[in-house]
Amino acid sequence: AWIRKKRDDPPTIEEILKNENYREEMKQKIKDVSEKDKLLQAKEYKEGLVAEPVHTRVKGHASAPYYGKKEPSQDPTSTASTFQPGSWMPPGSGSSHNK
């Protein structure tokens, strides 16, 4: 505020130290909360309460309108301006996924 001419006098050493301590406390609190959130998410995934995020696999290059063979896939795919959601395939249909 003092540098921007919003305040007439410069900050005191006490104010500077107080602000630095506040920033450090906030960093620690944020770190603690994010760790708790990660543990909670891991617990929920393990218990099956929440589905794990699905990653869309990008095949080909963004500027290519068509890439590779067009065959149904269990995984969602994205190429250029198109998006193909994953398809259901019956078990034992020769799928490349063995889970």
Side-chain angles (χ1 to χ4, degrees):
W2 176 64
I3 292 174
R4 294 183 189 95
K5 309 280 190 212
K6 301 283 183 188
R7 178 177 166 168
D8 294 330
D9 53 337
T12 62
I13 298 296
E14 292 83 16
E15 287 177 315
I16 293 171
L17 292 175
K18 180 181 165 187
N19 287 340
E20 286 180 10
N21 288 336
Y22 177 77
R23 283 189 207 106
E24 290 301 318
E25 286 178 23
M26 285 298 113
K27 285 180 187 178
Q28 186 62 39
K29 286 180 182 179
I30 290 169
K31 184 178 177 183
D32 292 344
V33 168
S34 65
E35 287 176 6
K36 286 181 185 177
D37 187 48
K38 285 180 184 178
L39 291 173
L40 181 63
Q41 281 184 352
K43 179 183 172 190
E44 289 175 344
Y45 290 151
K46 186 176 181 181
E47 293 175 357
L49 298 174
V50 177
E52 293 189 34
V54 177
H55 299 286
T56 302
R57 187 181 318 166
V58 177
K59 295 182 179 180
H61 190 270
S63 65
Y66 175 75
Y67 181 82
K69 298 178 182 178
K70 188 170 185 170
E71 57 186 45
S73 169
Q74 287 181 325
D75 298 325
T77 57
S78 174
T79 58
S81 62
T82 64
F83 174 79
Q84 182 66 37
S87 302
W88 178 84
M89 293 189 169
S93 65
S95 174
S96 61
H97 293 292
N98 294 328
K99 292 185 177 180

